[in-house]
Amino acid sequence: MSSLLQTARPRAVANWLSAVAGLIVLMVAVGGITRLTESGLSITEWKLVTGILPPLSEAAWLSEFAKYKQIPEYQQLNQGMTLAAFKGIYFWEYLHRLLGRVIGLAFALPLAWFALRRAIPQGYGLRLVTLLLLGGLQGAIGWWMVTSGLAERTDVSHFRLAVHLLLALFILAVLIWTALDLYGLARNAGSRPARLTRLGLGAGAILFVQLVFGAFTAGLNAGLVTNEWPLMNGKLFPGEVLAVRPFFDALVNDPAMIHWVHRWWAWVAVAALILLARAARGAGNRAAAVAIHAALGIQILLGIATVMTGVDLVVAALHQLVGALVVAATAWGAHAAGRRR
């Protein structure tokens, strides 16, 4: 054990995890653009190794385009699409998958190096290996999501999209939490890992609900239901939905109901995260509190702007990017509130 204590490098490991977290935030942003541009079904196969390279010849491009023409999205929505337009949507899906591979290597290779150097502090090895396995699972879920739109649907399942996004954000939160534990260990060899408080758990659960409905909103294009705020097409609540479908079915499948829940549950999340920010500040971490307030404020404004601009690509992509930053700030605040002195 003494030799491990001498070789452990908690700050170096924490810096690496922080860098990977930054890549995941970028991945979430690119994933949002991929969804907004309806690019996710442009690559109809999963080739882990050979898929690293894009088509490099006209014949290769025509082959990929021919595969795309076989799926319902092209046949029902994009008949007559040009090869140039196909290359445009192919770019975003290709970039999204390439970033996934980059993140996998950026995690797996340094993990192996730190392990061989015995630089991973005691008690963190299993957590890091679990994160590696979750990353692999995330790739599999991404392909599982894509397959839902290749046969009978013209888009991917919003349930599978939610699983894909939420796992990415969970991995992001755990990376940040682990990095913060390790930074504390680097400052003080006697530092103990933070605990998840009831307030942190509650705020996280409320934010989770908001993220679920955000994913559903993206998956069903529910942001296009209205361009009004705070009303929706002149109404406070889309009550007409309940006249044609049961409440719980509407809650998870109807774009208008999902949009309504997403826009108003946001204020419940705001209240919970403000309480978390106060707890973080009370624990002596003013920076975490400021991060939560800043991310929340920007996210609310971007959410309203996304609706009122009719889901403008840039505004909506920024809304998803800042959503990832809200998760990061929440993890930081919950960690600050749960630090053991």
Side-chain angles (χ1 to χ4, degrees):
M1 181 179 295
S2 60
S3 62
L4 179 59
L5 290 174
Q6 292 172 0
T7 59
R9 297 290 182 269
R11 185 172 297 278
V13 175
N15 288 339
W16 157 59
L17 294 178
S18 298
V20 175
L23 286 174
I24 291 178
V25 171
L26 177 61
M27 180 74 159
V28 170
V30 172
I33 296 173
T34 301
R35 176 59 193 164
L36 289 163
T37 55
E38 303 288 350
S39 302
L41 297 176
S42 57
I43 303 178
T44 60
E45 297 176 326
W46 175 250
K47 298 177 180 178
L48 182 59
V49 178
T50 58
I52 293 175
L53 294 176
L56 299 176
S57 67
E58 190 72 5
W61 275 114
L62 290 172
S63 175
E64 289 298 309
F65 195 20
K67 295 171 187 174
Y68 178 66
K69 290 180 178 180
Q70 302 304 310
I71 69 172
E73 181 178 82
Y74 174 84
Q75 296 168 356
Q76 297 179 35
L77 301 179
N78 291 333
Q79 279 278 1
M81 172 183 274
T82 64
L83 180 60
F86 172 70
K87 289 180 179 180
I89 63 172
Y90 189 99
F91 168 79
W92 288 111
E93 176 64 6
Y94 170 75
L95 180 60
H96 188 56
R97 295 191 187 195
L98 182 63
L99 268 175
R101 292 178 170 94
V102 169
I103 291 171
L105 291 175
F107 194 90
L109 296 181
L111 175 61
W113 189 84
F114 281 126
L116 290 173
R117 303 270 299 191
R118 299 175 63 83
I120 299 173
Q122 185 179 16
Y124 288 89
L126 179 60
R127 191 189 307 187
L128 296 179
V129 171
T130 301
L131 282 168
L132 177 64
L133 295 176
L134 285 176
L137 177 62
Q138 173 71 344
I141 288 174
W143 176 240
W144 175 63
M145 176 187 69
V146 169
T147 59
S148 68
L150 296 180
E152 299 176 356
R153 303 170 56 101
T154 58
D155 56 8
V156 300
S157 161
H158 61 292
F159 296 112
R160 297 189 188 189
L161 185 148
V163 174
H164 186 53
L165 176 61
L166 291 168
L167 180 56
L169 295 175
F170 174 75
I171 292 172
L172 172 64
V174 177
L175 280 171
I176 290 170
W177 187 285
T178 305
L180 291 170
D181 275 345
L182 290 168
Y183 281 129
L185 189 62
R187 289 190 297 269
N188 178 1
S191 175
R192 300 171 63 192
R195 59 186 176 86
L196 183 59
T197 64
R198 290 183 180 178
L199 176 59
L201 180 62
I206 290 171
L207 179 60
F208 175 82
V209 172
Q210 179 66 0
L211 294 170
V212 168
F213 280 92
F216 287 174
T217 299
L220 292 174
N221 294 319
L224 297 172
V225 166
T226 180
N227 62 357
E228 297 177 8
W229 192 92
L231 300 180
M232 292 178 59
N233 300 320
K235 300 178 181 179
L236 184 62
F237 176 74
E240 67 279 1
V241 169
L242 300 180
V244 295
R245 62 198 313 170
F247 173 76
F248 288 106
D249 178 47
L251 190 64
V252 297
N253 288 304
D254 184 82
M257 180 65 77
I258 287 169
H259 181 129
W260 185 84
V261 173
H262 186 56
R263 67 161 58 184
W264 294 114
W265 187 262
W267 299 103
V268 180
V270 166
L273 293 181
I274 287 175
L275 291 175
L276 181 63
R278 292 184 62 182
R281 182 165 185 163
N285 198 325
R286 182 176 180 273
V290 170
I292 291 174
H293 284 295
L296 275 179
I298 295 170
Q299 182 69 339
I300 290 294
L301 293 175
L302 284 172
I304 295 171
T306 298
V307 171
M308 298 187 72
T309 59
V311 191
D312 175 79
L313 175 61
V314 174
V315 177
L318 287 173
H319 185 53
Q320 182 149 330
L321 170 64
V322 177
L325 296 180
V326 169
V327 171
T330 300
W332 188 8
H335 185 276
R339 285 199 59 189
R340 291 182 276 195
R341 298 167 182 259

